[in-house]
Amino acid sequence: MQRFQEAQKFVVEADAHGFKSPELLRVHVSALSELKKYDELLSLSHQRLPEFNSEALVILGELAAKKGNIDLLNNIASAVNSLNPADTEIFEIFKTFRWEALSRAGEIEAAVQEILREDIAQNGSIITTCVAGQVLKSAGRAIEADAVIRRAKFLVTVDSSEPDQLFLADLLYNAQQWSDAAKWYERLTPSGKKISGLHNKLLTCYVRTQNRSKAKAFLSSLSPDWIANDDTRRLAIELGQQAGDWTFLQPLANEQITAEPHLAKSWLFKLSIALKASTPAQFLNELRSVPELLEGSITSLAQLASLEIRYGEKDRGMRRLYHFARMNFDDPKALSSYFLSIITGPTELPFMDEHLTRIVAGSAVTLQDETGQILQVIIDPEHVNNAPIRENFFSPISPTAKALIASDLDEEIELPTLSFGGSRYVKVVAIQSAYRRMLHLAQERSSSLNGLPDIKSVPIGSTGDFNKDYEYMLRELKRSNETSKEFFEYYRQGGLTLNGFAHYQGRSPIDVAIGWPNQGTPIYTSTGTFEEQQVALGLLNRSEATYLIDALTIAELVKFNIQNLLELLPKVLITPSTHEILKAKLEEVTERRIVGTATEFDGRIQFIEFSQTHRQKQIDFANAMLDAVSRYCIVEPVYGELTLDEEFHKITDILQKEELDLVLLCQENNATLLTLDGRLRALLKQVAGIYGIWPQMLLMHGIQTGIISAGEGARATAQMFLSNRTLVMLNDGDLLWMLLQGGHYAQLGMQGFKRILASSDTDFESAVMVSLGFLKKLAPLQVQLGAFGELLSHFVEAALRNKQCTERFLKQIQQLIYEVTEQASSLQFGYPPVNAIREQRIDMQCRFLLKKVLDAHELSKQPPVDRPILIRVLYCTKLPQVMMAIEPSIGH
């Protein structure tokens, strides 16, 4: 910069001594441009424009284009046309200047039309294609822009000049074609340690394409003082947050405070890193050091205040909330943030008194004058200075506030008036905190016609007629239910991963895993083929493999109390984003103030109350998930590179943060993915070559290795089956376990297995073998003949509905009936007359069961009906008794 100042001084002195030349004038123009002395440059152009040479005209033209000054650009263009000899390249440059000037002057459509008339996609030079591509992209003309960009890629090769290569790199950069831009910047970026704009653009490309390891290596190649460069530090922070590398981010947080200590976002960033990487005591020390007056967006100020309120600095947090709400009272976002921060915060907050007995700074006062008129006065707290003037709001140092402060409830006060030096008498009829009054004002605004962002206000009537009073709520609940059904249908069709499903419903993936409905669309876990099972079991039998688990699968294992199976795996990693999801769940259930929820069922509102017992169960569950991580997992920052084909880069745009981190960490560690989400597992196998397993395979591995008993395995398998997961592999022992539990286990378990038998997607022969094995194991137990026949009838009906069913099945059933009735009767005696009673019993039982089969055959010809299974299980003997029931039993 000093050189340009010296150059300007030299040219001015030369001009004063009568030395004039086009070259000296160019130096003068260049110096003024670099020093950003635009007014002086414009003045010089008005005086001596005809003397400008081509280089000076280009510098001035670039300024005119950036300023959108079309008149000046037209004058410069006239000077260009008078150049001798004519310069074709300069004509091209000024053509692009004109497009840029039109765009900046708000006439972008005119620029687009000029570009289209030029047919740049077919005939453009490198200069015109690069500028035209950017203009078309800005105008939202994606198809035309892509055509022009293809032209630019064709024109520039590795043998082109560096300026042309840079033109193309910048075009690709502005078009957000980060991978392609990076290839050119890698050729053009100097290898020296000094940071330039090219370094930051290349780093941007790495960060945007999730090439995290390459980005970190690039930072390491720079001199250590890169941390002081604002742009480089910003990109490094983004990289560290992508990777979840809190150790890497700690010095960046300190530098950010040094660079911008007045900004709330700097302190919010520092605190967020301290919360993850420091001890509780260190975090609290950092929190106490936050200045009270900070600048920044409403969002960052609200988040900072919420941290202060949550972690012990309640007074300062509340003051911060009031300050930004008061200073931005007309901004709906400010009132919304104030309202949400308070109602979602702790129940006990300072400065929220509903009733006060004396007026102080920070009071909202209700006054009554001599005529009975009610007046509302809000006196700002002492820390609120220079707040905008608003009706009914007063500074604590204003005459009105001074006259009111220290007055008591029911006291009469003489207030000065603004006109003619008079006064008026008022009585104090109510006093409350200004903070609470601000909350009421926000609530009133949320109920107004335009409402507030992020808050849905549902009116409830007070007529005493429930249907009328809650009509609006019912309508909203119905709308919410319909939206939810659409998401379930989209998931069923294969359009969403489980994380994506959770994201679009505004839920945690943990809630999706543990709260999935036990009827309707199931969670897709696997295809259920024998080959897929064998591959998964083979992956589990390795002694030195690395595995990666996601949040919803940790929730799945804890839900079924089988998280100890993780100790079978040699090394289990989780991503920082997974860890954050688990910690967020604990924070949510520990601190939230929700006391219940409402839902709509069959046109009626149902209220579900959350008791303290329910809340404690949720806290215990969240702690159990984090305990499983602590015992069995390693949290590892996620670097790696997306070195996959172009199709996968497109898919990454729809993956959620945790899912993308799973891809990168799996690739970086050659890890096997353990996930409940069969759709994600299949996707990553297809496009990234990442192999995966699912929870039931881990459970089967645990049973095989003896870490879990057969009984515990049957329990967990049954619970998975009843939780509506696809193709949970059941054996006859699992079915028997469900039946003997009675109640919901028996009813839902048997109904679920019927659906498997009837499904055309089922491996029919395997399902038949399970059902036959189950009935054979059930027969010798304490089961009434009627109950056995009831189960037989249901299974036969379901099997006959399957298109894969053949006559062979009925023969198998007939053989089963003969075998179980034979075994159920006492042994034959040597004296034939004694056996007559036995044979009569067998014959009677066979005819009864065969009649059940015939009835099932007739039912299979009719439309399917989800008829109840009329059995009940009694526990009055050593072994449970399975008996016939008059009506379906859902209890024990």
Side-chain angles (χ1 to χ4, degrees):
M1 190 64 68
Q2 183 66 32
R3 291 177 59 247
F4 292 114
Q5 290 173 342
E6 293 173 354
Q8 183 195 9
K9 183 178 179 182
F10 170 77
V11 173
V12 170
E13 289 180 357
D15 187 67
H17 289 83
F19 293 102
K20 298 179 184 292
S21 73
E23 185 57 27
L24 284 173
L25 187 55
R26 182 202 56 82
V27 171
H28 196 183
V29 169
S30 180
L32 292 174
S33 176
E34 292 293 338
L35 294 170
K36 295 182 171 53
K37 295 183 176 181
Y38 300 133
D39 290 340
E40 291 184 39
L41 179 54
L42 293 176
S43 176
L44 181 64
S45 69
H46 290 318
Q47 298 170 18
R48 303 179 60 183
L49 184 61
E51 302 175 42
F52 280 31
N53 63 13
S54 58
E55 291 87 347
L57 290 171
V58 169
I59 294 171
L60 185 60
E62 185 177 14
L63 172 63
K66 288 180 179 178
K67 297 292 185 181
N69 192 333
I70 298 173
D71 291 337
L72 175 59
L73 194 61
N74 288 336
N75 293 335
I76 302 169
S78 298
V80 169
N81 291 331
S82 65
L83 290 175
N84 189 17
D87 190 326
T88 304
E89 184 176 356
I90 290 183
F91 289 153
E92 292 279 278
I93 291 173
F94 269 84
K95 194 183 295 181
T96 66
F97 284 167
R98 176 173 171 78
W99 299 336
E100 183 179 356
L102 287 170
S103 300
R104 293 180 181 273
E107 300 180 36
I108 194 167
E109 188 56 33
V112 168
Q113 294 305 317
E114 289 190 15
I115 290 169
L116 296 179
R117 284 195 296 270
E118 293 278 345
D119 196 11
I120 301 298
Q122 294 295 325
N123 306 314
S125 64
I126 181 58
I127 295 175
T128 56
T129 53
C130 288
V131 176
Q134 293 182 34
V135 172
L136 291 169
K137 202 77 174 178
S138 299
R141 306 291 285 264
I143 296 175
E144 294 89 342
D146 288 344
V148 169
I149 292 172
R150 285 195 296 272
R151 169 71 177 173
K153 289 180 178 179
F154 171 77
L155 291 173
V156 179
T157 69
V158 294
D159 297 322
S160 299
S161 67
E162 284 195 2
D164 285 353
Q165 292 182 30
L166 184 56
F167 268 128
L168 177 60
D170 286 344
L171 171 62
L172 296 170
Y173 180 90
N174 291 320
Q176 298 185 4
Q177 295 186 16
W178 310 114
S179 296
D180 289 340
K183 295 172 185 176
W184 291 104
Y185 284 134
E186 286 171 345
R187 299 176 58 86
L188 297 166
T189 303
S191 57
K193 300 276 188 177
K194 186 177 180 181
I195 298 172
S196 68
L198 286 179
H199 289 88
N200 284 329
K201 284 185 175 180
L202 179 55
L203 182 57
T204 300
C205 292
Y206 290 154
V207 172
R208 295 290 184 273
T209 53
Q210 301 289 339
N211 284 319
R212 300 174 188 175
S213 60
K214 188 175 282 189
K216 193 172 184 184
F218 183 69
L219 283 170
S220 299
S221 71
L222 302 174
S223 63
D225 63 354
W226 64 259
I227 196 172
N229 184 290
D230 290 342
D231 292 332
T232 312
R233 186 177 63 256
R234 174 181 53 79
L235 290 164
I237 288 172
E238 186 176 347
L239 169 65
Q241 289 174 326
Q242 284 179 351
D245 192 343
W246 317 129
T247 303
F248 171 75
L249 287 169
Q250 279 183 308
L252 298 179
N254 294 331
E255 183 65 29
Q256 183 64 29
I257 292 294
T258 302
E260 296 177 316
H262 59 290
L263 294 182
K265 68 177 183 180
S266 299
W267 290 96
L268 187 62
F269 172 54
K270 184 177 178 65
L271 291 173
S272 67
I273 301 305
L275 193 59
K276 297 175 177 70
S278 303
T279 65
Q282 290 171 329
F283 168 75
L284 290 176
N285 284 334
E286 298 286 6
L287 185 66
R288 294 186 191 104
S289 67
V290 178
E292 184 149 330
L293 294 179
L294 292 170
E295 301 172 17
S297 67
I298 290 168
T299 299
S300 60
L301 289 166
Q303 290 174 343
L304 184 57
S306 294
L307 276 178
E308 291 170 323
I309 291 170
R310 186 184 308 156
Y311 292 105
E313 294 293 319
K314 293 182 180 179
D315 287 13
R316 191 174 66 204
M318 289 296 293
R319 289 195 297 268
R320 194 181 307 282
L321 286 176
Y322 187 94
H323 187 270
F324 78 67
R326 177 68 176 87
M327 301 299 285
N328 302 277
F329 191 80
D330 291 324
D331 188 336
K333 181 68 176 176
L335 289 184
S336 172
S337 297
Y338 183 86
F339 182 82
L340 292 173
S341 297
I342 290 178
I343 66 168
T344 60
T347 52
E348 298 296 327
L349 289 173
F351 313 133
M352 292 297 290
D353 304 88
E354 183 70 56
H355 302 288
L356 295 171
T357 58
R358 172 163 290 194
I359 300 173
V360 295
S363 297
V365 186
T366 303
L367 304 172
Q368 187 177 39
D369 67 9
E370 301 100 317
T371 67
Q373 182 180 357
I374 297 298
L375 309 171
Q376 297 287 345
V377 172
I378 301 174
I379 303 172
D380 287 324
E382 292 178 348
H383 69 279
V384 179
N385 299 314
N386 302 318
I389 296 174
R390 293 198 63 84
E391 185 179 4
N392 299 333
F393 281 87
F394 295 87
S395 165
I397 60 174
S398 67
T400 299
K402 287 180 177 180
L404 288 172
I405 289 175
S407 300
D408 294 324
L409 187 65
D410 296 329
E411 184 177 342
E412 289 193 354
I413 308 166
E414 182 181 2
L415 291 181
T417 60
L418 295 178
S419 58
F420 306 111
S423 62
R424 65 193 299 192
Y425 286 90
V426 294
K427 181 181 179 181
V428 180
V429 296
I431 312 169
Q432 68 175 177
S433 161
Y435 293 80
R436 181 166 287 279
R437 181 58 185 153
M438 184 71 79
L439 182 67
H440 292 330
L441 292 173
Q443 190 170 10
E444 290 171 7
R445 185 82 67 86
S446 72
S447 303
S448 65
L449 186 61
N450 293 325
L452 290 176
D454 306 318
I455 298 175
K456 182 77 173 182
S457 181
V458 180
I460 297 176
S462 55
T463 65
D465 183 337
F466 184 90
N467 291 332
K468 184 176 181 180
D469 291 344
Y470 286 85
E471 179 183 4
Y472 189 87
M473 176 182 281
L474 179 60
R475 190 160 64 244
E476 285 297 304
L477 290 172
K478 283 183 176 180
R479 184 187 63 79
S480 177
N481 272 359
E482 289 304 315
T483 302
S484 181
K485 288 176 183 177
E486 290 175 5
F487 281 121
F488 273 104
E489 177 60 19
Y490 192 38
Y491 173 79
R492 186 191 68 79
Q493 295 173 0
L496 290 171
T497 61
L498 284 176
N499 247 301
F501 178 87
H503 170 75
Y504 288 112
Q505 289 214 311
R507 300 168 64 192
S508 164
I510 294 171
D511 294 332
V512 168
I514 64 177
W516 194 269
N518 59 16
Q519 294 183 355
T521 300
I523 289 179
Y524 175 76
T525 60
S526 70
T527 62
T529 64
F530 178 76
E531 292 77 14
E532 188 182 27
Q533 295 174 37
Q534 292 306 302
V535 169
L537 290 173
L539 291 169
L540 285 164
N541 279 316
R542 297 170 296 166
S543 60
E544 296 183 356
T546 300
Y547 299 84
L548 187 60
I549 187 170
D550 56 6
L552 57 88
T553 308
I554 293 174
E556 180 86 346
L557 297 179
V558 173
K559 176 180 180 178
F560 302 128
N561 197 28
I562 54 174
Q563 61 267 36
N564 64 311
L565 291 173
L566 291 173
E567 71 181 61
L568 287 169
L569 306 180
K571 184 179 181 181
V572 184
L573 303 178
I574 69 166
T575 68
S577 53
T578 297
H579 200 208
E580 290 303 306
I581 290 170
L582 299 175
K583 290 193 293 184
K585 172 51 65 176
L586 176 61
E587 183 178 294
E588 174 197 336
V589 298
T590 302
E591 299 184 7
R592 71 178 176 181
R593 293 161 57 180
I594 299 173
V595 296
T597 187
T599 185
E600 177 267 336
F601 180 76
D602 199 22
R604 294 177 298 172
I605 296 177
Q606 293 185 340
F607 294 99
I608 302 170
E609 182 181 0
F610 293 161
S611 65
Q612 183 59 35
T613 302
H614 171 81
R615 181 170 177 267
Q616 188 57 52
K617 285 182 179 179
Q618 289 189 311
I619 293 172
D620 292 343
F621 187 89
N623 277 317
M625 290 190 293
L626 287 169
D627 180 64
V629 169
S630 176
R631 286 172 179 266
Y632 308 115
C633 306
I634 302 169
V635 184
E636 188 162 308
V638 183
Y639 287 99
E641 298 179 25
L642 287 181
T643 56
L644 309 168
D645 59 34
E646 197 63 32
E647 286 302 310
F648 188 74
H649 277 278
K650 295 177 182 177
I651 293 173
T652 60
D653 292 337
I654 61 172
L655 293 178
Q656 302 305 309
K657 173 69 167 63
E658 186 191 19
E659 294 170 326
L660 181 57
D661 285 351
L662 292 172
V663 176
L664 290 168
L665 198 57
C666 273
Q667 288 190 316
E668 189 178 0
N669 291 273
N670 192 26
T672 299
L673 179 62
L674 170 56
T675 180
L676 175 68
D677 192 347
R679 196 160 289 144
L680 176 67
R681 197 174 63 252
L683 175 66
L684 299 191
K685 172 63 173 63
Q686 179 181 354
V687 300
I690 295 172
Y691 284 85
I693 54 177
W694 61 103
Q696 196 187 2
M697 289 296 97
L698 181 61
L699 175 61
M700 291 175 65
H701 184 55
I703 296 171
Q704 291 174 0
T705 56
I707 194 174
I708 189 170
S709 68
E712 279 297 292
R715 174 198 59 78
T717 301
Q719 289 176 333
M720 286 182 183
F721 179 71
L722 296 178
S723 296
N724 202 14
R725 276 64 172 144
T726 61
L727 300 169
V728 173
M729 279 70 75
L730 294 171
N731 59 37
D732 47 23
D734 299 327
L735 271 183
L736 189 60
W737 187 92
M738 282 190 284
L739 175 69
L740 296 181
Q741 304 310 302
H744 288 289
Y745 274 106
Q747 285 293 327
L748 298 178
M750 299 306 105
Q751 295 285 10
F753 188 70
K754 278 181 60 180
R755 286 191 288 273
I756 290 177
L757 272 173
S759 172
S760 59
D761 295 329
T762 298
D763 183 342
F764 184 70
E765 288 301 321
S766 296
V768 167
M769 293 306 295
V770 170
S771 61
L772 294 176
F774 160 73
L775 291 169
K776 286 179 181 179
K777 286 186 175 181
L778 176 63
L781 302 180
Q782 298 193 61
V783 55
Q784 285 186 344
L785 180 63
F788 187 89
E790 176 75 359
L791 290 166
L792 176 67
S793 170
H794 278 274
F795 282 9
V796 170
E797 178 199 344
L800 290 173
R801 292 185 185 278
N802 196 310
K803 295 178 182 179
Q804 304 173 61
C805 186
T806 64
E807 288 294 326
R808 180 171 176 269
F809 169 72
L810 291 175
K811 292 180 180 178
Q812 289 174 302
I813 291 295
Q814 188 176 22
Q815 181 63 32
L816 169 77
I817 291 173
Y818 290 142
E819 287 180 8
V820 298
T821 54
E822 178 78 21
Q823 293 171 0
S825 299
S826 57
L827 295 175
Q828 280 188 314
F829 292 91
Y831 183 57
V834 177
N835 292 322
I837 296 175
R838 175 180 180 274
E839 290 171 356
Q840 288 174 2
R841 184 186 303 115
I842 292 174
D843 181 64
M844 179 198 69
Q845 291 174 343
C846 283
R847 282 189 283 109
F848 176 81
L849 293 177
L850 288 171
K851 175 67 166 56
K852 287 290 185 180
V853 172
L854 290 175
D855 291 344
H857 194 280
E858 291 302 315
L859 286 170
S860 69
K861 298 175 184 179
Q862 301 172 15
V865 176
D866 198 14
R867 61 189 179 99
I869 300 175
L870 299 177
I871 59 168
R872 61 184 303 195
V873 181
L874 300 180
Y875 297 95
C876 53
T877 58
K878 185 175 181 181
L879 288 176
Q881 291 187 345
V882 184
M883 306 180 68
M884 193 70 181
I886 299 175
E887 58 184 26
S889 172
I890 59 172
H892 290 177

